[in-house]
Amino acid sequence: QGRALLAKTHGLTEREADVLALLAAGRSRRHIGQALCIGEETVKSHVKSIYTKLDVHSKEELISAVEKCSAAVDEPATAWEWDEKAGGQ
């Protein structure tokens, strides 16, 4: 749920959302490529795009963003509370 919301709110493509799900599960780029039947360079391109759209710079930051979004989905919040959890933009 959190990954889907994160993908939608940050404009990820369907394929980027697929890659995000596997990245958030801790899968390697090689595994992602094999699972999605795409080349490792294509995976690398998707990962770069995901990092840019989510404004993260590491796998740890990515996983943290997914976890925060998942927690927000699990716990209903007002728009103001959501903004605060997301870092208050």
Side-chain angles (χ1 to χ4, degrees), residues 44-76:
K44 185 177 178 180
S45 176
H46 286 311
V47 170
K48 183 178 179 179
S49 179
I50 291 166
Y51 278 33
T52 299
K53 289 179 180 182
L54 298 183
D55 193 28
V56 297
H57 303 93
S58 69
K59 193 180 239 184
E60 286 300 315
E61 285 183 29
L62 176 79
I63 292 170
S64 291
V66 170
E67 288 173 350
K68 285 178 186 177
C69 194
S70 293
V73 169
D74 292 342
E75 179 182 309

Side-chain angles (χ1 to χ4, degrees), residues 28-39:
S28 69
R29 290 180 182 174
R30 173 174 279 179
H31 176 88
I32 293 168
Q34 291 171 345
L36 300 178
C37 299
I38 57 178

